[in-house]
Amino acid sequence: MTQKADIGLREAQAVVDNWIRTTGVRYFSPLTNMAVLAEEVGEVARLMARIYGDQSFKSGEKPAEALADELADVLWVLAAIANQTGTDLADALRANIEKKTARDAQRHRNNMKLK
């Protein structure tokens, strides 16, 4: 069995950029991409409500692999928006984790609701 190599955030951004410029012709406007992101997140929410929540699938719906595909769509359009705004997602995520660690190091441990 051949193991597939992981794709990092910078590589993901480069792959999305290349695909958009070669196959997709050009980027949508950032505002259009924001609307697409909202739509894709809505699809994730719909699937989560049916897979893990109390809603059921409609007759004929096939949930297999749908959640993974929708999460990938979210990541795709997020990478496109990051490319358009000059955001390096790897750097942004690293900085965000550091911020959360400094801010929340004790907060969650001391939250009685989480015990």
Side-chain angles (χ1 to χ4, degrees):
M1 176 180 218
T2 305
Q3 184 177 355
K4 295 179 184 175
D6 288 342
I7 184 171
L9 290 172
R10 285 193 182 105
E11 183 181 358
Q13 281 188 249
V15 168
V16 167
D17 181 64
N18 184 61
W19 188 94
I20 288 170
R21 291 177 189 281
T22 59
T23 305
V25 180
R26 68 171 181 84
Y27 278 87
F28 295 140
S29 71
L31 185 56
T32 297
N33 276 335
M34 186 61 232
V36 172
L37 178 61
E39 177 188 356
E40 297 301 348
V41 169
E43 283 299 308
V44 169
R46 183 182 71 79
L47 287 168
M48 293 291 293
R50 284 160 178 75
I51 295 168
Y52 301 104
D54 299 321
Q55 290 187 343
S56 59
F57 283 95
K58 296 173 188 167
S59 177
E61 278 188 298
K62 299 189 179 6
E65 300 178 13
L67 182 58
D69 186 54
E70 293 301 336
L71 287 170
D73 284 343
V74 168
L75 185 58
W76 175 277
V77 72
L78 187 63
I81 291 169
N83 288 343
Q84 290 176 296
T85 60
T87 302
D88 181 311
L89 286 174
D91 287 345
L93 182 59
R94 188 174 299 108
N96 189 269
I97 290 168
E98 290 171 4
K99 175 188 78 176
K100 284 175 173 45
T101 300
R103 181 190 67 203
D104 300 332
Q106 295 303 314
R107 187 174 127 219
H108 295 300
R109 278 193 180 85
N110 296 331
N111 183 344
M112 294 305 293
K113 294 179 180 181
L114 298 177
K115 293 185 184 225

